[in-house]
Amino acid sequence: MADQLEPETLLREISDLEGRIGELRQAANMPEPDLRATLDAALVELELALTALRTMGADQNAVTGSSAAADAERRVLRTVFQDAPVPLFLLDRDASVRRVNRQAAALLGTSPGYVSGKQFIAFCDLPTRAALRSQLAEVVRTGRRKRADVRFLGRERPVEAAVTMARVWIRGEADPMVIAAAGPTAKSKKKAEASPAKSGAKGETATPATARGASRRTEQATAPETRDDEAMAAIVHRMDVLATASELLLDDPVFNETVAMRRCARLLTSEMADWVFIDILEGGSGGGNGRGAELRRMVVMGPDNGDDTGAIARSLEELPPGPDTLPHTVHTTRQSALRPHVESIDVLGVCADGQPACGKIGATSVLCVPIDDGTTSIGAITLAGSGEQGPFDLLDLGVVQRLGRYLALVIRAARIFRRRAEVAESLQSSLLPRHLPSIPGLELAGSYLAATHGVEVGGDFYDVFPTSDGGWGMVLGDVCGKGEEAAAVTATARHGFRLLSRWQPGPAEVLSMVNDVLLDEDRFVTAVTAHLKIAGDRVNIRLGSAGHPPAIVLRADGVIRAAPAGGVPLGLFEDFEAGLNDVELAPGDTLVLYSDGILEACDIARRQFGQEKLMESLAAHATAPVPEMLRAVEDTLRDFCDDDLRDDVSILAVRVLPPPSN
């Protein structure tokens, strides 16, 4: 081509070029195209177009000529670059994308505007990035053409491509630029020849759908008529994820914070991401957005790939979400962040071994949302993907944002629940003796199990105390209801029994006086009390009952009986009469008092534990020391009801020890 071209000649050359490019496009769309040859021809045409641009009359001062040259330049750029039948990237010398054509944008499954300005290597998988950057630098430095096999991170899935890079000088630019043209690899070409595309417009190869599910991708053709169905399937799947999350997070009556976070991470790794990180503000409910506190990594969950994944997860658990990381920024600003194509692989921090977290897990796409309850942020959820299922998009971000809100509300409820439970536990402990007294010749043990439903303080109590006649008193009772009001009645009843027994040793009198005290209360109390009088190696017991389940006597020879019950609950009627009974315990005999919570505990079929099963459990462990016997009953009860106790359970037992041998 001449050093200078007249405008008319240049226009003719452009017209011929347009015709040849049209033929190349037709060749690329044939059923079995030779895409490698088409790519090489397109690059030749590109070189010719660049030569034409260089020879355009820079020194043509005529207005008509300059206008014609400018029009011709625009036509060359539009024809060669935008309408080329192969994906083309125009790169600055620092490998940032200046411009892409429609074919390149379609290859990545995005818009040309999104690609422009980003690093070219950000659209390639991690293993090829370093080598590709070096090859780009060599092309700029030496001008020699380079070819590399690349896995582009397409919207649907990674795309294997052979990229040819060539240096170009464009008029008006101070530095050289790089044209990168993408075509099929030899491997993918052979695969395509062996397995022709099923259905696609103009011979295009079918691509997978975008819906995420249990298999993370559904293999379908993406013909135009199916795209609406695929979009609807993706939306429905995201709705399913949110519905499942709601069920998992709310299906926990105690709102356990750790359980909620792990359930959330497990759901996200199975449905949306390869790796999930959950970071929570340490020490507090989230007030002040981290003022005086730091984010702490609570959960790291990745693919179930054996020991390697476990080792990586452990190193990431030890990596704090510091101020220079994306989770920390998202938490402090309360603004979500979406990085469909990660450019800086240290965005999640650098591990102790010096390797960036993204590089360690192969993350090329990241999104992060605050765990925000609407008032404050208490942490962040981060999702990382390798690009095998395509980059994260705005719909993914919306789903995880909503999930972050759900998790924040559950954590806030869990912390309120925990504080109330601590208060209830402290109050409950004040209603039970810290230690039972040591009585010569007797072995004592008590047990208390709080209900697993609700956090209000229960109404059970028991106590052992000396009586006015030198004996010992035992009492076990249950106040109707729960909460602070029930706790006040519980304290009144327990201390009433202890105090009145110093003046009235008999159970009948003590029960009657406690009844008088409780008449002004709004709650009734059931109770069983025992007055113990030691006589040599035996113990005489006077039992008094006020509407309470009967005491159980376990003999040393294995015989087990329930003592007669009777009486009415305390605090209901002025005319009170207790149920009374006398029992004598010989060495090895045991007396057991208990609350109705153990009898009314149910299994999954709503069958009650009942008195018979209680007696069987006691008999099965009759030879064990009293504390071990009560623990065995607890274990049997927990197994029976699957640790689902709807009411508090109290047990108090005393055994007569055999006399010491000489």
Side-chain angles (χ1 to χ4, degrees):
M1 192 173 289
D3 292 340
Q4 292 282 334
L5 290 178
E6 295 296 327
E8 294 80 5
T9 304
L10 186 59
L11 291 175
R12 186 173 61 252
E13 290 288 342
I14 291 173
S15 178
D16 293 341
L17 183 61
E18 286 179 331
R20 294 196 299 272
I21 289 177
E23 292 177 357
L24 289 174
R25 187 180 297 108
Q26 292 176 358
N29 289 330
M30 289 182 178
E32 297 183 8
D34 188 348
L35 295 178
R36 182 72 235 179
T38 303
L39 174 62
D40 291 338
L43 290 173
V44 172
E45 297 293 357
L46 184 61
E47 289 177 343
L48 292 174
L50 290 171
T51 302
L53 290 175
R54 293 194 188 99
T55 61
M56 289 175 62
D59 58 346
Q60 294 179 3
N61 297 319
V63 175
T64 303
S66 298
S67 176
D71 291 342
E73 181 178 3
R74 285 193 294 271
R75 291 185 63 185
V76 169
L77 289 174
R78 182 179 66 251
T79 301
V80 177
F81 192 83
Q82 292 294 345
D83 296 337
V86 294
L88 294 177
F89 300 81
L90 179 62
L91 312 178
D92 289 325
R93 67 178 301 157
D94 65 352
S96 62
V97 179
R98 175 73 66 88
R99 188 181 298 275
V100 298
N101 67 353
R102 286 186 292 270
Q103 293 285 357
L107 175 71
L108 299 177
T110 186
S111 64
Y114 172 75
V115 182
S116 300
K118 293 182 171 57
Q119 284 286 307
F120 177 65
I121 63 169
F123 299 96
C124 309
D125 68 345
L126 288 180
T128 61
R129 288 188 182 184
L132 187 59
R133 189 185 288 278
S134 297
Q135 289 173 316
L136 285 168
E138 182 180 355
V139 170
V140 172
R141 186 174 61 254
T142 66
R144 289 194 294 270
R145 184 179 299 177
K146 300 291 293 184
R147 182 178 181 277
D149 289 338
V150 171
R151 291 183 86 228
F152 283 110
L153 302 174
R155 181 176 180 82
E156 310 294 340
R157 60 161 58 174
V159 179
E160 303 282 352
V163 175
T164 302
M165 297 162 285
R167 188 179 70 182
V168 296
W169 290 89
I170 296 180
R171 189 177 61 173
E173 296 290 337
D175 294 322
M177 304 184 77
V178 175
I179 284 285
T185 62
K187 179 180 179 181
S188 63
K189 181 179 177 182
K190 292 179 181 179
K191 183 177 180 180
E193 292 174 352
S195 303
K198 293 182 180 179
S199 61
K202 302 179 182 179
E204 294 176 353
T205 302
T207 55
T210 59
R212 296 179 187 265
S215 63
R216 306 289 299 280
R217 287 290 173 187
T218 303
E219 298 292 335
Q220 297 178 358
T222 55
E225 61 271 14
T226 66
R227 294 190 185 276
D228 289 343
D229 292 340
E230 294 169 3
M232 183 59 67
I235 293 173
V236 170
H237 175 258
R238 289 173 172 90
M239 293 175 64
D240 288 342
V241 170
L242 283 176
T244 304
S246 301
E247 183 177 350
L248 288 175
L249 293 177
L250 296 177
D251 186 26
D252 189 350
V254 299
F255 291 106
N256 186 287
E257 184 173 336
T258 302
V259 171
M261 287 189 290
R262 295 196 65 82
R263 286 179 176 178
C264 177
R266 190 175 298 109
L267 173 66
L268 290 173
T269 52
S270 67
E271 298 292 343
M272 295 186 65
D274 295 318
W275 287 86
V276 174
F277 309 87
I278 298 182
D279 304 311
I280 296 295
L281 192 66
E282 186 177 21
S285 59
N289 267 348
R291 189 178 305 163
E294 295 182 354
L295 278 182
R296 180 184 177 188
R297 182 139 292 167
M298 301 299 294
V299 177
V300 174
M301 198 166 292
D304 187 13
N305 292 335
D307 295 338
D308 290 341
T309 298
I312 294 173
R314 285 189 292 274
S315 67
L316 295 174
E317 288 170 352
E318 297 171 357
L319 175 63
D324 56 344
T325 64
L326 186 62
H328 188 277
T329 301
V330 166
H331 162 65
T332 54
T333 63
R334 298 177 63 191
Q335 297 294 322
S336 300
L338 174 62
R339 303 286 189 270
H341 296 89
V342 173
E343 297 184 67
S344 174
I345 60 174
D346 60 356
V347 67
L348 298 182
V350 179
C351 297
D353 59 3
Q355 186 176 2
C358 285
K360 188 178 286 288
I361 62 178
T364 59
S365 186
V366 171
L367 71 81
C368 185
V369 304
I371 302 175
D372 196 310
D373 62 8
T375 303
T376 57
S377 172
I378 58 178
I381 302 175
T382 305
L383 273 63
S386 65
E388 291 298 323
Q389 286 79 43
F392 297 120
D393 56 26
L394 290 175
L395 286 177
D396 295 323
L397 184 67
V399 169
V400 184
Q401 281 178 321
R402 183 64 61 85
L403 190 53
R405 179 67 183 275
Y406 290 169
L407 183 58
L409 295 176
V410 170
I411 290 176
R412 185 174 69 178
R415 292 178 175 179
I416 294 174
F417 185 97
R418 187 169 66 243
R419 286 195 296 271
R420 293 188 62 186
E422 290 171 353
V423 171
E425 183 178 356
S426 177
L427 181 56
Q428 185 70 62
S429 64
S430 69
L431 303 177
L432 299 173
R434 293 184 179 181
H435 305 287
L436 293 177
S438 176
I439 305 175
L442 301 180
E443 184 180 19
L444 285 166
S447 170
Y448 173 80
L449 295 177
T452 55
H453 282 254
V455 296
E456 294 184 313
V457 61
D460 283 15
F461 67 93
Y462 63 81
D463 202 357
V464 179
F465 42 80
T467 60
S468 61
D469 62 350
W472 290 90
M474 296 174 57
V475 64
L476 188 145
D478 185 3
V479 176
C480 172
K482 294 180 179 294
E484 289 79 0
E485 294 182 2
V489 178
T490 302
T492 299
R494 177 199 167 193
H495 294 296
F497 278 104
R498 172 179 279 269
L499 181 62
L500 293 172
S501 294
R502 292 183 176 271
W503 285 276
Q504 298 290 339
E509 293 80 2
V510 172
L511 286 169
S512 179
M513 296 177 70
V514 172
N515 179 73
D516 293 340
V517 172
L518 296 178
L519 285 175
D520 294 333
E521 303 291 345
D522 293 332
R523 299 171 186 271
F524 65 86
V525 179
T526 67
V528 59
T529 182
H531 176 228
L532 284 64
K533 193 69 174 178
I534 301 176
D537 62 351
R538 294 178 180 270
V539 176
N540 296 316
I541 298 178
R542 181 74 164 169
L543 291 174
S545 177
H548 200 82
I552 293 176
V553 178
L554 181 62
R555 299 296 183 185
D557 59 5
V559 175
I560 184 169
R561 294 285 186 270
V568 295
L570 303 171
L572 290 178
F573 309 106
E574 293 183 5
D575 186 14
F576 173 82
E577 184 176 353
L580 300 174
N581 187 52
D582 293 324
V583 174
E584 183 182 76
L585 298 184
D589 294 346
T590 306
L591 175 73
V592 180
L593 312 180
Y594 55 93
S595 64
D596 61 0
I598 192 170
L599 305 180
E600 297 171 358
C602 295
D603 64 7
I604 193 171
R606 310 310 302 166
R607 293 187 297 262
Q608 291 189 343
F609 191 77
Q611 188 182 69
E612 188 62 32
K613 196 165 187 65
L614 171 61
M615 295 174 72
E616 290 178 2
S617 181
L618 289 170
H621 302 89
T623 58
V626 175
E628 293 183 15
M629 181 179 70
L630 297 192
R631 281 195 294 270
V633 173
E634 288 181 2
D635 293 341
T636 303
L637 179 65
R638 289 179 184 273
D639 291 341
F640 177 81
C641 66
D642 197 21
D643 215 13
D644 182 19
L645 292 173
R646 302 301 175 110
D647 195 7
D648 302 335
V649 171
S650 298
I651 311 176
L652 181 62
V654 59
R655 177 178 295 168
V656 179
L657 296 174
S661 60
N662 295 328

